[in-house]
Amino acid sequence: MDDMDTRPIGVFDSGIGGVTVFKEIRKLLPNENIIYYADTARVPYGPRPTEEIIRFSLDAVDFLLKQQIKLLVIACNTVSAVAFDAILAHTDIPVIGVIEPGTRSVVSRSGIHKLGLIATEATVRSGEYQKRLTQEEPNLQLITKACPMLVSLIEEGWGNTEISKLVIQKYMEDMKGADLDGLILACTHFPVIRAQIEEYLGPDVQIIDPAEETAKELERVLQERKLLHPAEGEASIRFYVSDKPEKFKSIVEKILDPRDIRQVSLT
Amino acid sequence: MDDMDTRPIGVFDSGIGGVTVFKEIRKLLPNENIIYYADTARVPYGPRPTEEIIRFSLDAVDFLLKQQIKLLVIACNTVSAVAFDAILAHTDIPVIGVIEPGTRSVVSRSGIHKLGLIATEATVRSGEYQKRLTQEEPNLQLITKACPMLVSLIEEGWGNTEISKLVIQKYMEDMKGADLDGLILACTHFPVIRAQIEEYLGPDVQIIDPAEETAKELERVLQERKLLHPAEGEASIRFYVSDKPEKFKSIVEKILDPRDIRQVSLT
């Protein structure tokens, strides 16, 4: 038991998107205690300037570090794309972003020659995915599209409505005609509306969600660093938000196991 | 001619909403030179915390003051509701917000006993309209609704689409059943989709747009302070944005006289 560590894992997103990563972590590592922090007062981060995203992210990291987390998962593509290095420089605990696992989930598949990528404006503009994917797969054809309104819609609790369906069509019209092999959901909000996206693009386009690979990466790092939680008792799950805890709860209850979302506190 | 002043009027909004006020100013005061500043890098302001709205607003005011404006029009309800006093304290030139004229445009009408008010989250939360309207009309029944997604949609250029129609229905369902006499568009973005709102609420609900009354207030102040522009030559109109000038131009061209939107520069 000396190699075990009961301290919580910190999971950070600007809003509710990161719960799609949280969900995969819960599936794979049910014994881990988790503290999830959502900066709901300042969501969305995607349209913000780089220096602002970095500043807000470090605020969030400071909050989580005070909660004695053993490892930080940045469950947000925007923050992973823009503020990863700043966060690494800011703390000594291990940090896992979603972009490296996201890239791996593309590369590990066969038959992906033409890939669509949907994300926030900041993620697309950062070029991080484009750089990493091209390093791994120099012949990959990549079509990127910033879809900021999809983030706002999901934060509003309007995913999987007629409205989100129309917005998907509006953003992805060109991709539908582009004969894609796959589409990477390069924003952690988008798995919430995965079924609508799949329906629109049809069965020939593989949908790639980095969340699953991120949870696997987390398991690897916990094992390697001997940080796994001993397998006993029920995990403690806490959510903190910087604004509107009730709204957060009511939306996230539809995505997660309701038992996981009992404790939502305002920071 | 000694009483005349050729310096420009500064018009400020977080994004494209203020152009509905700009349009009324152009109609009423065609000789005035105008500099319009839109903080498109940080729009929308509506969901932001108060201190942030104030800080960003003062940045914008500083930019306009450097352009030697003779008067500032805050063509944004959020900024008028939250940062008006801070802006007044920051400059010696006259400042006109939209809330006082907006209140006047309600009070000047007869038959308004039950009023709907749609705005951003910050405007609703500030309670400014609620306070002023109640002071003027103690028996007025007021139903308020924050409609943040409408702002995002209009900024995206998706006003007057099937999407904005569905979002209007979603936000205003309760108001439709509430037997309103009037609805005040307490966000300068909303006149862009006025026809869709009117269509949804029906002909018995008077739509009140503070922009017209704001232009009249501007004329009064210019006259009173002897700041009117002499009536000769063509007015100089300049737009500045903090991000994405091309996107701003392409959306605003649909709202304004295209000749007015020839000059859009990045700050």
Side-chain angles (χ1 to χ4, degrees):
Chain A
M1 296 296 285
D2 281 352
D3 288 350
M4 298 286 181
D5 194 324
T6 60
R7 286 177 300 162
I9 293 163
V11 177
F12 164 47
D13 180 38
S14 59
I16 71 158
V19 305
T20 62
V21 177
F22 169 92
K23 202 173 177 176
E24 296 299 327
I25 296 173
R26 288 287 288 151
K27 248 192 257 173
L28 198 65
L29 299 160
N31 304 306
E32 294 296 334
N33 300 322
I34 302 176
I35 296 181
Y36 183 106
Y37 173 68
D39 190 6
T40 49
R42 307 193 282 197
V43 72
Y45 282 11
R48 293 179 183 268
T50 302
E51 60 80 23
E52 207 175 53
I53 297 169
I54 292 175
R55 186 157 47 85
F56 292 175
S57 298
L58 294 182
D59 287 349
V61 172
D62 281 336
F63 171 79
L64 285 166
L65 289 174
K66 270 187 217 143
Q67 317 298 314
Q68 306 294 328
I69 56 170
K70 62 183 171 186
L71 180 150
L72 173 68
V73 178
I74 306 171
C76 174
N77 284 272
T78 301
V79 175
S80 300
V82 164
F84 192 79
D85 292 344
I87 292 172
L88 268 191
H90 193 71
T91 175
D92 291 329
I93 62 168
V95 179
I96 292 172
V98 280
I99 293 185
E100 207 202 304
T103 305
R104 198 178 309 135
S105 41
V106 174
V107 175
S108 65
R109 289 167 193 241
S110 55
I112 308 268
H113 306 294
K114 199 167 182 183
L115 178 74
L117 181 149
I118 55 174
T120 66
E121 288 157 300
T123 300
V124 170
R125 201 174 50 222
S126 77
E128 276 299 313
Y129 268 107
Q130 295 91 318
K131 187 180 78 180
R132 283 161 190 264
L133 285 168
T134 312
Q135 282 167 351
E136 299 281 337
E137 298 274 0
N139 296 320
L140 186 74
Q141 240 186 298
L142 193 61
I143 301 177
T144 61
K145 179 81 183 176
C147 305
M149 288 295 302
L150 285 179
V151 179
S152 306
L153 279 171
I154 292 165
E155 284 291 327
E156 194 72 11
W158 294 356
N160 303 308
T161 62
E162 187 63 22
I163 296 170
S164 60
K165 193 175 156 185
L166 289 175
V167 173
I168 289 167
Q169 287 172 17
K170 192 129 186 150
Y171 278 132
M172 301 180 70
E173 216 175 350
D174 292 348
M175 286 197 179
K176 194 176 163 76
D179 204 22
L180 296 178
D181 305 306
L183 174 79
I184 181 162
L185 308 180
C187 169
T188 55
H189 285 78
F190 298 163
V192 173
I193 50 168
R194 177 177 179 150
Q196 282 190 325
I197 293 171
E198 275 176 321
E199 201 193 332
Y200 181 64
L201 290 181
D204 293 340
V205 180
Q206 290 185 51
I207 304 292
I208 301 158
D209 172 6
E212 209 179 310
E213 201 64 45
T214 302
K216 285 187 204 155
E217 169 77 7
L218 169 62
E219 187 180 35
R220 261 194 299 273
V221 173
L222 289 174
Q223 272 165 350
E224 194 185 286
R225 307 260 187 142
K226 304 193 191 308
L227 291 171
L228 278 165
H229 188 282
E232 43 190 38
E234 203 184 344
S236 150
I237 306 295
R238 277 176 293 162
F239 284 83
Y240 288 95
V241 295
S242 52
D243 198 14
K244 306 194 195 101
E246 288 310 315
K247 185 177 173 189
F248 182 87
K249 198 175 174 184
S250 73
I251 296 170
V252 169
E253 269 170 351
K254 295 176 202 156
I255 306 169
L256 296 182
D257 182 337
R259 284 169 301 182
D260 277 354
I261 185 83
R262 277 176 300 202
Q263 262 199 302
V264 181
S265 314
L266 199 60
T267 54
Chain B
M1 295 299 283
D2 281 354
D3 288 351
M4 298 284 180
D5 193 325
T6 59
R7 285 177 300 163
I9 292 163
V11 177
F12 163 45
D13 181 38
S14 58
I16 71 155
V19 306
T20 63
V21 177
F22 169 90
K23 200 173 177 176
E24 295 300 327
I25 297 174
R26 288 287 287 151
K27 248 192 255 173
L28 198 63
L29 299 159
N31 303 308
E32 295 296 334
N33 299 321
I34 302 176
I35 297 181
Y36 183 107
Y37 173 67
D39 190 7
T40 48
R42 309 194 280 197
V43 72
Y45 281 12
R48 293 180 184 267
T50 300
E51 59 81 24
E52 207 174 54
I53 297 169
I54 292 175
R55 186 157 46 85
F56 292 176
S57 298
L58 294 182
D59 288 350
V61 172
D62 280 338
F63 171 78
L64 285 167
L65 289 174
K66 269 186 219 145
Q67 318 298 314
Q68 305 295 328
I69 57 171
K70 61 182 173 187
L71 182 150
L72 173 67
V73 177
I74 307 170
C76 172
N77 284 271
T78 300
V79 174
S80 300
V82 163
F84 192 79
D85 291 344
I87 291 172
L88 269 190
H90 193 72
T91 174
D92 290 328
I93 63 167
V95 180
I96 292 172
V98 280
I99 295 186
E100 208 203 304
T103 305
R104 197 180 306 135
S105 44
V106 173
V107 175
S108 65
R109 289 167 193 241
S110 57
I112 307 268
H113 307 294
K114 200 168 183 184
L115 179 74
L117 180 149
I118 55 174
T120 65
E121 288 157 301
T123 300
V124 170
R125 202 174 50 223
S126 76
E128 277 298 313
Y129 268 106
Q130 296 91 318
K131 188 179 78 181
R132 283 160 189 263
L133 285 167
T134 312
Q135 281 167 352
E136 299 279 338
E137 298 273 2
N139 296 319
L140 186 75
Q141 243 187 293
L142 193 61
I143 301 176
T144 61
K145 181 79 181 178
C147 304
M149 288 297 301
L150 285 179
V151 179
S152 308
L153 279 171
I154 292 165
E155 284 291 328
E156 195 71 11
W158 294 356
N160 303 308
T161 62
E162 187 62 22
I163 296 170
S164 59
K165 193 176 157 185
L166 289 174
V167 173
I168 288 167
Q169 286 171 17
K170 193 129 185 151
Y171 277 133
M172 301 182 69
E173 216 174 351
D174 293 346
M175 286 197 179
K176 194 177 162 74
D179 204 21
L180 297 178
D181 305 306
L183 174 80
I184 181 162
L185 308 179
C187 170
T188 54
H189 286 78
F190 298 163
V192 173
I193 51 168
R194 179 179 177 147
Q196 282 191 325
I197 294 172
E198 274 177 322
E199 200 193 331
Y200 181 63
L201 290 181
D204 294 340
V205 182
Q206 291 184 49
I207 304 291
I208 301 158
D209 172 7
E212 208 180 311
E213 202 63 46
T214 302
K216 286 186 203 157
E217 170 76 7
L218 169 61
E219 187 181 33
R220 261 192 300 274
V221 174
L222 289 174
Q223 270 164 352
E224 196 186 285
R225 308 258 186 144
K226 304 192 189 307
L227 291 172
L228 278 166
H229 188 282
E232 44 189 37
E234 204 184 343
S236 149
I237 305 295
R238 277 176 293 161
F239 285 82
Y240 288 96
V241 296
S242 51
D243 198 15
K244 303 190 197 106
E246 287 310 314
K247 185 176 174 192
F248 182 87
K249 197 174 175 184
S250 74
I251 296 169
V252 169
E253 269 170 350
K254 294 176 201 155
I255 306 169
L256 297 182
D257 181 337
R259 283 169 300 179
D260 278 353
I261 185 83
R262 278 177 298 203
Q263 262 199 299
V264 180
S265 315
L266 199 60
T267 54

